Amino acid sequence: MGAYMFGYLQIDKAELKVREYEAYKSVYCGLCRQLGKDYSVFARFALSYDCTFYAITLMSLKRSCTGFRDGRCRFNPLKKCKYALCEDDCYSKAAALTVISVYYKLCDDINDSGFFRALAVRMIKPFFSHCRKKAAKRYPELDTIVRDMLDSQIELEKKDKPSIDEAAHPTACMLAEIMKAEGRNESEARVLYECGYHLGRWVYLMDAADDYEKDKKHGSFNPFMTIETDDLRGYMNALLSQSLARAYDAYNLLDIRDFKGILDNMMLFGFPLKQNSVLTGPQGGKK
């Protein structure tokens, strides 16, 4: 079970200023538009909060946002929206990571699912296979990183009762390598690797916690299955909070200027809020 960048890296809307929320939406809509431009209208259904976080982080590090433009939603032309403008390839890279992640998630689902679900996945896989080939041609390093994560995860799950640290390592390394590649110098690259590693570990453990009951019911792999404790949710919460704290420590070393209010909100409020909702509230909510 790889986590692939799906749905946990969210904002806490209630704690954002109105202008910051509008800026966040403008990046979300900008990434949606880029997915349609690069990979067709159907690729827009793969839009995720996690890849929006990636796009905002890239635009902040590169300081590539040049302003905002009024427009209309590509799904609903009657709805007005704003688009954040970017002079670099941040949107294109985030869109590529989106379709590459979806493709390898589908491959993983085919291996892990029952006959009928696997059959449904096989029906949509050819579309994302085409998208992934196009994305991999433009950003081969992203494709290699995600593919290596999947290969490592498959090998790891063949082991007898791997530890939680072992299970989370492939996803942690995936996001660490993706973030590290954006460093403008060796020092920044090291900090981004550290931030990405612990954030990737958190995403993986969030996915495992979110899917725990389902995996237990179906006998699927889940690293928390081997834990013997009277307070499993408390144990999950402690591990997740530790990963978030270490990611935030590294994040604080970065020179974040553009979208700082949004990124601060995500690290300090959005991610903990999502963690709390997974551990104490209704399960799910990935996007």
Side-chain angles (χ1 to χ4, degrees):
M1 54 168 291
Y4 298 96
M5 306 272 293
F6 270 81
Y8 298 112
L9 304 180
Q10 300 184 17
I11 59 169
D12 180 0
K13 181 181 175 181
E15 295 292 335
L16 272 181
K17 297 176 181 177
V18 173
R19 60 179 174 80
E20 290 172 338
Y21 179 61
E22 291 300 318
Y24 177 80
K25 287 198 304 180
S26 73
V27 176
Y28 187 85
C29 291
L31 179 54
C32 180
R33 182 176 64 173
Q34 193 71 42
L35 279 164
K37 178 182 177 181
D38 290 351
Y39 304 105
S40 92
V41 64
F42 299 108
R44 290 185 177 135
F45 289 103
L47 181 64
S48 72
Y49 296 125
D50 292 353
C51 286
T52 303
F53 167 78
Y54 179 55
I56 288 176
T57 302
L58 289 182
M59 292 168 71
S60 178
L61 290 170
K62 297 183 178 183
R63 307 206 70 184
S64 57
C65 180
T66 57
F68 303 89
R69 186 178 69 193
D70 292 329
R72 293 192 177 273
C73 175
R74 299 306 172 97
F75 274 127
N76 181 8
L78 298 178
K79 180 181 176 182
K80 294 182 179 180
C81 62
K82 286 184 179 293
Y83 295 102
L85 305 177
C86 181
E87 64 182 4
D88 213 316
D89 68 341
C90 301
Y91 280 140
S92 294
K93 189 174 284 188
L97 180 59
T98 299
V99 296
I100 288 170
S101 295
V102 170
Y103 170 77
Y104 286 111
K105 177 69 167 65
L106 294 175
C107 292
D108 196 27
D109 284 348
I110 289 173
N111 292 329
D112 293 344
S113 303
F115 174 78
F116 290 106
R117 175 168 170 75
L119 184 63
V121 171
R122 284 191 175 95
M123 292 177 66
I124 61 175
K125 182 183 173 185
F127 169 75
F128 280 102
S129 177
H130 172 74
C131 293
R132 172 253 160 189
K133 289 178 182 177
K134 187 176 180 181
K137 185 175 181 180
R138 187 169 186 183
Y139 299 104
E141 68 285 355
L142 288 179
D143 184 68
T144 299
I145 290 170
V146 180
R147 185 184 67 242
D148 287 349
M149 183 276 290
L150 177 59
D151 291 343
S152 297
Q153 200 72 50
I154 291 172
E155 286 301 312
L156 181 141
E157 292 177 13
K158 292 177 181 177
K159 294 179 63 176
D160 182 35
K161 297 182 179 179
S163 70
I164 287 179
D165 285 341
E166 288 178 309
H169 186 66
T171 300
C173 283
M174 177 189 75
L175 192 53
E177 292 293 342
I178 288 172
M179 296 284 282
K180 176 185 175 182
E182 304 306 325
R184 292 164 291 186
N185 52 60
E186 185 177 347
S187 176
E188 187 175 68
R190 286 200 302 268
V191 172
L192 285 168
Y193 184 94
E194 183 77 5
C195 182
Y197 185 90
H198 293 291
L199 205 51
R201 186 176 189 271
W202 181 80
V203 168
Y204 177 86
L205 295 178
M206 280 284 287
D207 194 52
D210 206 359
D211 289 344
Y212 178 79
E213 294 298 334
K214 181 187 72 175
D215 290 340
K216 185 177 180 180
K217 179 180 178 180
H218 295 290
S220 301
F221 174 82
N222 191 298
F224 289 118
M225 295 292 185
T226 61
I227 303 303
E228 297 180 5
T229 176
D230 293 331
D231 184 15
L232 183 59
R233 291 292 168 175
Y235 180 84
M236 290 174 175
N237 188 59
L239 279 182
L240 288 163
S241 296
Q242 179 190 54
S243 291
L244 266 191
R246 295 190 67 176
Y248 182 69
D249 286 344
Y251 165 79
N252 267 335
L253 298 176
L254 296 171
D255 183 22
I256 298 294
R257 299 182 188 179
D258 299 346
F259 302 116
K260 179 173 171 56
I262 298 172
L263 292 172
D264 285 354
N265 172 277
M266 298 175 90
M267 295 293 297
L268 290 172
F269 300 107
F271 303 165
L273 181 67
K274 187 62 183 174
Q275 177 178 315
N276 185 63
S277 73
V278 165
L279 294 179
T280 64
Q283 301 296 287
K286 306 176 191 179
K287 185 174 179 185

